[in-house]
Structures are given as C-alpha cells and as structure tokens.
C-alpha cells in the first residue's frame, strides 16, 4: 500500500532511512523555467543532513553543466557535475564501460541527436560524426538523397547513437539507417520517451526518433540508456557508490520514474506535480510513498 | 502447391481463365528507370486478348499521370488514368467514398506527404494544407518549434493524411501530431511499407513516416490505403467492375502483393525479378503461380 507523507515524523524517518535521493527534474524540481514551491528549501534541508543528491533526466539535448547552471539560477548551489546523470551521459558511460567500444581504432560514432550527446561522447574521448559535420564537408546542393552514396562513410563508423534531435529530417534518418543495415554496428538509444513536453503541448520525443529509425532499418536498439531502462541505472551505479536500500527515487511519472526505481529494487516517491493523480498513486504497487509536491519534504519538516 | 509457369499451354489457360491483370509496378514491370525484358510484348499480348490491365502501386509521391508517361516512355501505350491505382489515389477515394468526409464544410485535410497525395485529394474537390503552404504564409524564422502555437490551425483541419515525404522534418511531424492529439480527427495512412527502394539501397518508406507519427501521437491509423490493406482493394473495386475469380494479381513481394491478392480472394502470380526467391515461392500457400519474370508470359506464348 502506497503511503502518503503527511507528518513531520514521516519526514524524520525518511531522513533516517535514506542517504541518497535521486530526482527526476522536469515536473519534480521545476516545470519548464519555473522552480516548484519549497524545492530550494527541501534541497537545503537534505544538504544539511549530508544527503547525496543526484539529478536524473532523460533529456539528452542539454549538457550536464547546463543542469548545474539551471539549478544555480534557481538558488540551488553546491551541486557538481557528478551529481547530474542525463541520458546523454549515461549513453556515453554505457558505450565506454559496458559496450567497451574502442577509442583508438580511428573510428567514429554516428550520432542522430544534439550536442548534449556528442559533448558527452567527446568528453570520454570518442570521436563523433553528425549530419552537421556533413554540412561543413559538402555544399548544400550535395546534401540530397540522390547523393546518398557519397554521404555514407561505412568504414569510418563503429557505432550509432540515436536521441532527441529537433532538426531531424528524412535524409538524416536515411543516412542513420544505412549504417544500421549492417547488423554488426551497435545501435544505442538514449531514451524512448514518446513525447517531449514543450510549452503547453507535447512534441515528438527521443522515442519517436528511435522508432522511425527502428522501423526503417528493421533493428531493435542494443541498449536504451534512459529511465526506466537499465543502462541509466548502470551509469548511476558506476558513477556513485550507492546502497540500494538507502536510496530513494523521486519522480512524477509512474511509467518511467517509479518503474525505474522499482525495477532496480529502490524505494520510490511519487510527486503529483506532474501527470499523475492521487488515485493512480494509491493503486500502484511500485510506489512506496507519494506526496503532493517535492517541497512537502521541507514544508512538513517545520 | 504453387505452380511454376513453364509451358505455352499454361499461358493459354491463364489467358482463358483471367480477364483482369493487376500489376505491381516496381520490381515487376520496371526496376527504377529500366523496363524489364519482354514486358512490352507481354502487355501487347494481353491487350490483343482484350484483357483489362490495372497498375497498382504503393508509391504516393507520383501522380497517376506520371505513371502513364513512364509506361508510354517504355513503349507501352493505350493505358488511361483509370487503369492506374496508386496509394495516393486510393487514399483520396477512401476519404471520399468510405469516410465520406465533407467537401463543403470549409475545412482542409492536413497532409504530411508529397504532391502525389494533395493532387489526388484536390482532384476530388478536397482542400488541403501542407507544410509547404505554411512556408508561403510565414517567414522562415517563424517556422520553428517555439512558434508552434501559431502554426496550428485546429479549426480549419478535419482530417490528417500521412504518406511518404522526402522532406519530412521534426517540425512537420510535430505539427501533424498536434492535430492527431484530437481523437476526433481521422488519421489516414497511404501505405505502411517500411522502406523505399532507392538506387542500390533503401531509404525510409511511408510506413516509417507513419510510424513516427503513430508513436508520437499515440494513435493508430483509422485506415491504411495501400497494399496489402483493404483500402487499396476497395478503391480498385469501386473504380472497376471486377470479377474476383477472373482477376490475377501479379507482384514481386509476398508480404504485400501476394498477401493483397490472397486476402481479397484473388489468384496471385509471383515474379522473381524483385526480392523473393524460388524457394520462398514454393513454400507459400498464398501464391497461385510463379515465374522468373513477368515477360515469361510473352516468351512462353511464342
């Protein structure tokens, strides 16, 4: 039975029981460009109690430093880059630590995605190739389907990464597909969220881009590195020395955040500032606790 | 048991038995820009015997007149537009005859696809709106995600059609998705071929574009108008007065062409000029006859 947090005593036992708090960001810490109420105070409370805070996001379009800037702008300080795990970082970590892809064979990773991904791969010492690189190499009128043979560098590519790319187009997908027609080339997806919350609506998410690539090339990704898939937890475990029974995953989505915790034997806390309702919270076995908002941890502690 | 056509007697009984011949085009009549051997002579033979010839294609990017020009250029004459059924035409026919979408409510069909589709819809008296129309209405720097609210005309759209579009991009898919978030808007797919044969390789097909739209909008198409789906046969039956037991479907793909005939109780002939092999032909119950190439009908008749 899911427990609603409503008393100071419950908050005190939460602080006793867990020493690491994993936070989903959008819908939990902030919504778009607005910090949610009492979140700053909650973070300070947890820091005062020497808790380890880790921010976990499926968004691969931003770099980890972008997250730190965003938190700083909200008045949340003393967060370093190791405390940020996004799907771009977990993809790079997966490729390095699990896939153990060579960095010295002179080959490159083809990326259908944005600089959040290439930055993390380059940070780890991998060379990348993107459609943007082709636009620097070829005049505009040669970047066409008719010229596809010349746009493909099969001997230079040893892996394909697909994530969210707001500039996805037919030719990019077509080029990506050419590499994946070779079953020996690993196909790594950053995450598979079907949509991306944007302003007052939603737009195609990384999962939609992965889906067109999958369908066109008749391939399944060899790994998916975002929540709720294991690649993300592998990255967190590799980067931090966590004790699972002392870790709490806090999120606003049952399908990703709560599943991510539950699948990895980690207790979960659902906040209702995102898309879920109290009714759904009560009926889900994979949720340990729920609360109206993250800031209730501070509000109830007073 | 599938029968291989090898004798003059078999060809004569084929000519006795069937009065309508449905041809898939690419891989059967031509490959790319090359007519296959003895095809011209086969068409003339069938015309001399007063057979009805119908050319059936899933390609929605070309108009039906483009097909006639192509056949004429190959020396195949006396084909009129009623003998051409592509997925663009069958989509327009489906919308008019089965969906019975209003032409007089002042609304438009949003098309993610090329002029083959809008031409057929306009021919039937439907108004259409495409991303190209938006590029005429808005300056380039307003065609962005950030401006998405202004690019959506919900009150003006009463249907969404998705097909192959070599200029598909993220924003087009995002706009299409906005209309489909309203479950009352019908979602019609021209066809669902995952790939499109192009030069010596393959590129994403209409089905891949349909797939990203489906996944992002969490919708299934209300109808699919290409082979092997029923929308295509409905269009052929509506346009022609066919007797199913006197009709033969000729194609090069088991999954689409042979299935299309079989599902509609029409005998099938597989030709091996496309992607299938003799071994697969022999092991498929849905194939009535097979032959090395379409031109064997003429070659064996001599």
């Amino acid at each position: 039975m899911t427990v609603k947090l409503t008393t100071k005593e419950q908050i005190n036992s939460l602080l006793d029981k867990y020493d690491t708090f994993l936070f989903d960001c959008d819908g939990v810490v902030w919504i778009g460009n607005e910090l949610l109420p009492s979140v700053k105070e909650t973070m300070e409370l947890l820091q005062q109690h020497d808790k380890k805070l880790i921010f976990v996001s499926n968004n691969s379009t931003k770099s980890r430093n972008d997250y730190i800037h965003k938190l700083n702008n909200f008045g949340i300080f003393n967060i370093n880059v190791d405390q940020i795990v996004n799907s771009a970082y977990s993809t790079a970590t997966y490729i390095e630590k699990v896939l153990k892809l060579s960095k010295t064979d002179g080959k490159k990773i083809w990326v259908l995605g944005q600089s959040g991904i290439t930055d993390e791969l380059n940070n780890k010492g991998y060379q990348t190739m993107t459609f943007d690189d082709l636009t620097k190499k070829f005049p505009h009128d040669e970047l066409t389907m008719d010229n596809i043979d010349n746009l493909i560098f099969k001997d230079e590519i040893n892996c394909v990464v697909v994530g969210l790319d707001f500039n996805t187009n037919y030719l990019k997908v077509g080029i990506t597909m050419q590499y994946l027609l070779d079953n020996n080339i690993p196909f790594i997806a950053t995450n598979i969220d079907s949509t991306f919350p944007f302003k007052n609506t939603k737009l195609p998410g990384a999962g939609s881009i992965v889906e067109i690539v999958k369908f066109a090339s008749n391939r399944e990704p060899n790994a998916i590195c975002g929540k709720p898939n294991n690649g993300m937890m592998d990255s967190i475990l590799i980067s931090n020395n966590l004790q699972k029974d002392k870790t709490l995953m806090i999120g606003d989505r049952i399908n990703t955040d709560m599943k991510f915790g539950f699948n990895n034997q980690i207790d979960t806390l659902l906040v209702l500032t995102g898309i879920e309702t109290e009714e759904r919270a009560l009926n889900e076995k994979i949720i340990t606790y729920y609360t109206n908002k993250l800031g209730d941890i501070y509000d109830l502690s007073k």
Side-chain angles (χ1 to χ4, degrees), chain A:
Chain A
M1 180 77 190
T2 310
V3 174
K4 183 167 189 174
L5 300 179
T6 54
T7 68
K8 186 172 177 166
E9 289 65 39
Q10 285 176 309
I11 300 303
N12 286 338
S13 43
L14 209 73
L15 293 173
D16 283 345
K17 186 161 184 193
Y18 304 103
D19 60 17
T20 302
F21 291 74
L22 308 180
F23 302 96
D24 175 46
C25 298
D26 210 9
V28 177
V29 177
W30 60 69
I31 289 181
N33 286 317
E34 303 222 5
L35 187 70
L36 284 163
S38 302
V39 165
K40 180 177 178 307
E41 294 78 4
T42 298
M43 296 300 168
E44 284 165 357
L45 177 75
L46 294 171
Q47 287 173 326
Q48 282 155 19
H49 284 79
D50 284 331
K51 302 304 178 189
K52 185 181 278 187
L53 313 183
I54 298 176
F55 297 85
V56 181
S57 166
N58 272 0
N59 189 337
S60 68
T61 63
K62 295 202 177 85
S63 77
R64 292 195 290 157
N65 277 320
D66 291 336
Y67 282 84
I68 293 179
H69 292 311
K70 189 161 184 167
L71 288 164
N72 289 350
N73 286 338
F74 287 140
I76 299 169
F77 298 105
N78 299 316
I79 307 291
N80 69 54
V81 77
D82 294 336
Q83 290 170 265
I84 312 289
V85 180
N86 67 1
S87 66
Y89 173 71
S90 74
T91 296
T93 304
Y94 181 90
I95 288 173
E96 182 184 46
K97 303 285 187 187
V98 183
L99 197 62
K100 298 189 200 304
L101 191 75
S102 169
K103 297 175 185 181
T104 54
D105 62 0
K107 298 202 174 188
K108 295 173 181 168
I109 299 172
W110 172 260
V111 177
L112 171 56
Q114 300 196 180
S115 60
I117 302 169
T118 48
D119 284 353
E120 294 294 351
L121 289 167
N122 297 340
N123 284 347
K124 293 214 183 274
Y126 287 107
Q127 286 190 281
T128 52
M129 192 191 291
T130 65
F131 191 78
D132 278 353
D133 295 325
L134 299 182
T135 63
K136 287 166 203 153
K137 212 166 179 164
F138 292 93
H140 183 71
D141 61 0
E142 289 181 21
L143 286 166
T144 65
M145 290 166 57
D146 288 307
N147 196 33
I148 188 135
D149 287 343
N150 295 320
L151 304 177
I152 303 297
F153 297 87
K154 282 202 176 144
D155 295 342
E156 294 184 31
I157 298 298
N158 61 358
C159 182
V160 166
V161 171
V162 178
L164 186 54
D165 184 342
F166 300 128
N167 296 308
T168 299
N169 62 38
Y170 183 84
L171 186 57
K172 271 192 198 188
V173 174
I175 292 171
T176 306
M177 176 185 167
Q178 302 310 305
Y179 295 120
L180 292 176
L181 292 176
D182 176 354
N183 281 311
N184 295 315
I185 299 286
F187 171 19
I188 312 298
T190 58
N191 59 301
I192 52 168
D193 301 66
S194 61
T195 60
F196 177 79
F198 188 75
K199 294 191 163 187
N200 54 352
T201 185
K202 42 194 181 179
L203 287 172
S208 294
I209 317 280
V210 171
E211 196 66 20
I212 187 173
V213 172
K214 273 169 64 174
F215 197 78
S217 59
N218 194 26
R219 290 275 304 263
E220 286 294 323
N222 299 87
I224 301 163
C225 299
K227 291 173 292 177
N229 305 89
N230 293 339
M232 183 68 118
M233 188 54 79
D234 291 344
S235 292
I236 296 174
L237 295 176
I238 284 167
S239 318
N240 300 275
N241 209 0
L242 298 191
Q243 247 184 289
K244 285 186 173 191
D245 61 348
K246 290 187 156 285
T247 299
L248 183 68
M249 171 70 210
I250 306 177
D252 68 325
R253 286 173 179 256
I254 294 170
N255 270 346
T256 50
D257 303 319
M258 298 299 101
K259 209 168 163 185
F260 181 60
F262 181 79
N263 287 351
N264 289 287
Q265 303 88 46
I266 286 173
D267 284 350
T268 56
L269 163 60
L270 182 78
V271 296
L272 301 180
T273 40
I275 61 165
E276 311 291 0
T277 60
E278 187 152 18
E279 200 182 352
R280 289 203 62 193
L282 286 168
N283 289 312
E284 272 291 346
K285 276 186 246 163
I286 67 174
I287 306 173
T288 318
Y289 315 100
Y290 77 99
T291 181
N292 291 330
K293 61 179 197 297
L294 174 58
D296 285 352
I297 293 181
Y298 171 78
D299 289 352
L300 293 169
S301 75
K302 282 188 292 192

